Amino acid sequence: MSETLDLGMIPKATVRTRVTVPLRFADGYATTARVLTFDGLVDGGEHLALGLGDWERALSATPLVRPHSECLTGDVFGSQRCDCGPQLREAVERIAETGGLLLYLRQEGRGIGLYAKLDAYALQDAGLDTYEANVALGRGEDERDYTAAAQMLLALGAKRIRLLSNNPDKAAQLEARGVRIAERIPTGVHLSSANLRYLTTKASHTSHTLELPGL
């Protein structure tokens, strides 16, 4: 999905709604987000941009941005099978400190959906890794497309960003869609006994920037 696109083929998105939402996490950390919705996103998804810290000033320079794919099990229920919840919590605080955007993308299960993700979990319990399980279900290893994320950034004037991500595919896709990556900044490593294999597979199979034991 990282091929260079003709930017003239990517429709322009526009901001639909802006609303202020106070945030508080389970550990007590609190901040305020300016939550933006959009019209014209190519996939029709209800994706959000959260402006954190002095985000409007940051847009005039090089804002810190994290595209975060929705993970109901990790973000809401605190699942230990992935690192999504801790990454979301970390990203909100780091972006609020410097000013920037968190893009909350409705791409559950690397784009295959919630039920299929749980089906993939069952296959992982039988021995497959996180990518093999998706393929065994007849899906792609990673079906996420970041065209809508690029539309959101360009609609806000964020043509050059510092990307908070361990995933090189996010950087490649955004670059191909007209968003310049000035710097790619890795997140922390949120390791547990339940997600060691998951994180190790991401590092070895798709070159995620993760410093793990034995790698």
Side-chain angles (χ1 to χ4, degrees), residues 150-165:
Q151 285 183 287
M152 295 160 75
L153 291 171
L154 295 174
L156 294 172
K159 297 180 180 180
R160 184 174 183 270
I161 67 171
R162 293 179 297 129
L163 180 67
L164 181 61
S165 175

Side-chain angles (χ1 to χ4, degrees), residues 162-168 171 181-186 207-209:
R162 293 179 297 129
L163 180 67
L164 181 61
S165 175
N166 301 323
N167 186 352
I181 308 301
E183 181 182 6
R184 184 158 69 90
I185 303 168
S207 301
H208 280 58
T209 309

Side-chain angles (χ1 to χ4, degrees), residues 34-71:
R34 188 67 167 166
V35 180
L36 297 91
T37 65
F38 297 83
D39 285 323
L41 299 179
V42 292
D43 61 3
E46 293 186 326
H47 310 297
L48 304 175
L50 278 67
L52 297 162
D54 195 355
W55 65 279
E56 290 180 295
R57 181 194 59 79
L59 287 177
S60 65
T62 312
L64 184 62
V65 174
R66 174 163 177 78
H68 183 90
S69 295
E70 178 182 46
C71 176

Side-chain angles (χ1 to χ4, degrees), residues 137-213:
L137 292 172
R139 307 299 295 263
E141 288 187 347
D142 189 338
E143 296 188 1
R144 289 175 294 180
D145 183 302
Y146 295 97
T147 303
Q151 285 183 287
M152 295 160 75
L153 291 171
L154 295 174
L156 294 172
K159 297 180 180 180
R160 184 174 183 270
I161 67 171
R162 293 179 297 129
L163 180 67
L164 181 61
S165 175
N166 301 323
N167 186 352
D169 186 52
K170 289 182 182 179
Q173 287 204 40
L174 289 174
E175 285 269 10
R177 287 151 177 77
V179 178
R180 182 180 174 191
I181 308 301
E183 181 182 6
R184 184 158 69 90
I185 303 168
T187 72
V189 178
H190 303 286
L191 182 65
S192 73
S193 60
N195 70 19
L196 175 59
R197 187 186 183 206
Y198 167 80
L199 295 181
T200 300
T201 303
K202 289 206 298 185
S204 62
H205 189 69
T206 48
S207 301
H208 280 58
T209 309
L210 292 164
E211 294 187 10
L212 297 168

Side-chain angles (χ1 to χ4, degrees), residues 68-87:
H68 183 90
S69 295
E70 178 182 46
C71 176
L72 179 72
T73 52
D75 296 342
V76 177
F77 299 122
S79 169
Q80 295 291 292
R81 294 186 67 136
C82 63
D83 57 345
C84 302
Q87 281 188 322

